[in-house]
Amino acid sequence: MPTKTHMKSLALSMMLAFSAGSATAGVTDKDILDDHKTNDDVVTNGLGLQAQRFSTLDRINKETVDDMRVAWAFSLGGEKQKGQETQPMIKDGVMYITGSYSRVWAVDARTGEELWQYDARLPDGIMPCCDVINRGVALYDDLVIFGTLDAKLVALNKDTGKTVWKKTVESYKAGYSITAAPIVVDGKVITGVSGGEFGIVGAVRAYDAKTGNPVWERPTVEGHMGYVWKEGKKIEAGISGGAPGKTWPADLWKHGGAAPWLGGTYDPETNLLFFGTGNPAPWNSHLRPGDNYFSSSRLAINPDNGEIVWHFQTTPHDGWDYDGVNEVVSFNYRENGKTVRAAATADRNGFFYVLNRENGDFIRGFPFVDKITWATGLDEKTGRPIYVEDNRPGNPAASEDGKQGSTVVAAPAFLGGKNWMPMAYSQKTGLFYVPSNEWEMDIWNQPTSYKKGAAYLGAGFTIKSINEDYIGVLRAIDPKTGEVVWRHNNFAPLWGGVLATAGGLVFTGNPEGHLMAFDDKTGEVVWEFQTGSGIVGSPVTWEMDGEQYLTVISGWGGAVPLWGGEVAKRVKHLNQGGTVWTFKLPQKYAMN
Ligand code: CA
Ligand code: CA
């Protein structure tokens, strides 16, 4: 037992350590759980584990926003620009951001001065499907943790940027990569993987955030064994779905995709993680009759052991690459005198779903885009889509030479009614602000077979716009009725995240370079700023020294220029970039 004097000197030396320099206490589980309530930091991806992307700050509001000015800008520099999809994190006056090619920075949040930069040394053979992007870090204790394009998790010291631990999550040679921000729940850092276009096996994994030691692993394809680690020993924890490939033909589940590539959210009220899963592999659905669990689904996972508690499949037997990865946002609402613990998600397939987040039951669903061709609607009871069988791309085996099935024109295009870019939920208006796109595609199927590290699609496609004057649409949607309260059309496809605030504002950026503020009730654009390159990142806001700050990263790229077909041609004039922009109001608005 330490003596009293010993305790005293320990306390004194700790105090000295705190006052000596920039070293400050690290991020705790409580900081993470309370993130949505604390305005002086942003320590989760989503401004809270439930990912509502709502801030209670209101100093920047409909009246004052006109006075908002640039506080500082920071260039990521280098030749490696490409898409910048990061959401900044802020803790104790330091901002942590990621950039293209698996790079991380710590920047002084007051001045924009760089504190350190970390560049992952990537091998030549990485196989990111959709640009060399990264969506941000997780913070825990004194660690800054992120995933790399060669499918590693790397933990850096927050003060020095030096590597503390590094784990290979999966083999990049088999097509795995990581682009999502990890999530930290109860001391565990939890990540999915990308690679659904290469016939990988999707899985969600948890590691001890301080050491990187594995805690559990849960495959998202029916038939694969899950594991937990106890005292360093790897123990079988049951087959996902209970038995090998019940909803798959033959051996196709062995390379079934279902990549949980966008990471997850967490709801403390139900103690559930929510992860979405991507397409079943290959895209050619005629090769894999069945529902193909757990592809194109939302999964509720027990964070303690990786158990799948419930699943909700948005597109059973997906034949259009309607990945079901989009974020699940927990929110409560009152109906018939009762509080409903709901979860909302806007799917690539064009439907918006409201689920009971305790058990995954379907509450309601409705289209959130103007044109859906592949389904006429959702079953009122189950939420299962009512398919238009003629709108499934044809079976190559039924063609004369067996080489190509009939082409269909399907909407939405596979890049989705909504893609990865996160929506926001305003507790003030009760509305979701959903960044969406109106586009369609020619899509056809071809024969294919699995080969490690090679594309595994069995499909060809061309994305086309539906309207001459716009593709992107930001919609304000009432989750109780499906009513679109307002919409804002944008020429280029929207690809950036949304933020809602108690100041009555909704922020998002467009590929044309504008950071925009909308009136949350009317959709009127009340402020905009040209950032010099397209915005595909997610804005955040926080408070420092009594002032409200707002930050977004600018840097055009992502999947659209690579996969967008006719649409990519339409936006090819847009310039790349890589700049962090931070705004605030003049000093006169500061709190005294
Ligand atoms: Ca916070
Ligand atoms: Ca996919």
Side-chain angles (χ1 to χ4, degrees), residues 196-197 261 278-279 283 321 323 348:
E197 274 59 51
W261 57 260
N279 61 285
W283 285 19
D321 189 36
D323 288 11
R348 288 233 307 234

Side-chain angles (χ1 to χ4, degrees), residues 261-272:
W261 57 260
L262 192 51
T265 64
Y266 172 74
D267 173 42
E269 289 177 36
T270 53
N271 189 34
L272 291 173

Side-chain angles (χ1 to χ4, degrees), residues 332-341 480:
N332 294 342
Y333 66 91
R334 299 283 295 174
E335 200 165 61
N336 305 326
K338 275 191 195 154
T339 297
V340 180
R341 280 180 172 166
K480 287 172 153 181

Side-chain angles (χ1 to χ4, degrees), residues 35 38 41-42:
D35 191 27
T38 53
D41 64 14
V42 177

Side-chain angles (χ1 to χ4, degrees), residues 18 44 48 130 191 203 218 236 353 440 476 505 542:
F18 281 119
T44 58
C130 312
T191 184
R218 176 48 56 191
E236 288 189 352
Y353 298 82
E440 60 191 6
L505 297 172
W542 80 101

